[in-house]
Amino acid sequence: MTFGRYPAGGLAFPHRDLLGIAQLERHEILYLLDEAEPWVDLNRQPSKHSDTLAGLTIINAFFENSTRTLLSFEIAGKRLGADVVNMHAAQSSVKKGETLIDTAITLNAMRADAIVIRHGSSGAVDLIASKVDCPVLNAGDGSHEHPTQALLDALALRHALRERGEAAEDFTGLVITICGDILHSRVARSNILCLQALGASVRLCAPPALMPAGVETIGAEPFHDFDAALEGADVVMMLRLQNERMQGQFIPSAREYHHLYGLTLERLKRAAPDALVMHPGPMNRGVEIDSEVADMLDRSIITRQVEMGVAIRMSCLDILTRRTRGVEGWT
Ligand code: NCD
């Protein structure tokens, strides 16, 4: 296999780490998506094993709760043939007062070949990356970034559009409405950057208290009226209220929130007739999204997002370890 130097002789993916979408160029995002395609195919076979990362050790260090992200990074590493070890902060020396930097130095001394980190503080993953010698992948840091989520969302959307015969290299011309707790959402931040890099127009909808200031400066269109934000949208991405990041009361009640910002079947009619529905999970059914919308077979791509999560993480782990593995063209 040859690895194209792209574009103009540069490496297709010149970064050691995957810390955020903010550091990526459009062609690098597309490269990560394109390289996930063979893994999508492999993951649909009965036998899903590859030896690509045989002999390598991957540590998943999760300092915050996770179901989808941790499991899919673990499955991704194992399907690539790596030895995968999960470190749960609740059972680690973090509880004994060890600093983040000492934890990073400890993981580094064990000679991991890639470290995947989720942490509750924005910037914690960048800090660890500066202290270790191997590639670091951000699995979500505070309210900052969650790059693999945005990449898997883009891959899921690309597949759904392709199946409808709307194949396009990118999302130029698509209107995508992201609604929910934008203020605390790393998923929203990474998705805004990723979707815009791929040509989409992004509308953001939240109650005033959950909308970050100055979103217009990054080219997103802010709304407080969900009906207006939905008008003619091609894709609707719903987000959970991140209660764990809220200090104090941001919304009057879940009932009131659902009334104004919950995605119901009735409300979805305002979007384009075949608009797709997305959610990164975990969902709070009956709060930000109704079950009859979340479970729509022809419109909801929520389970496809989960499927694409494994493939995109395989793509990221493969690409980021190519230098270590001495792959031709990457050393
Ligand atoms: C998101 C997260 O952890 O940021 N979930 C995920 O990774 N699938 C969103 C959330 O927790 O609401």
Side-chain angles (χ1 to χ4, degrees), residues 62 103 138 214 246 297 303 316 323:
F62 277 56
T103 304
N138 182 0
M246 295 181 196
L297 289 176
T303 50
C316 295
R323 246 151 276 150

Side-chain angles (χ1 to χ4, degrees), residues 130-184:
S130 71
K131 302 289 171 197
V132 303
D133 301 313
C134 68
V136 170
L137 292 87
N138 182 0
D141 64 323
S143 309
H144 180 222
E145 279 238 35
H146 192 353
T148 57
Q149 180 69 43
L151 293 166
L152 75 87
D153 288 340
L155 190 62
L157 192 51
R158 177 198 259 194
H159 274 249
L161 294 172
R162 235 184 237 162
E163 274 173 27
R164 287 182 170 184
E166 298 167 29
E169 201 207 5
D170 63 15
F171 303 144
T172 301
L174 281 192
V175 174
I176 302 181
T177 299
I178 305 178
C179 178
D181 181 0
I182 310 284
L183 181 66
H184 299 103

Side-chain angles (χ1 to χ4, degrees), residues 14-41:
H15 312 278
R16 189 198 72 170
D17 307 303
L18 179 66
L19 299 177
I21 300 293
Q23 288 88 26
L24 304 184
E25 303 280 345
R26 174 193 143 86
H27 67 85
E28 293 162 2
I29 294 172
L30 287 172
Y31 188 70
L32 291 168
L33 299 182
D34 291 344
E35 291 288 294
E37 298 293 357
W39 304 125
V40 175
D41 296 338

Side-chain angles (χ1 to χ4, degrees), residues 68-69 118 146 149 186-187 240 242 280-282:
R68 272 152 285 266
T69 309
R118 167 168 285 196
H146 192 353
Q149 180 69 43
R186 54 197 177 202
V187 175
R240 186 177 65 88
Q242 311 260 305

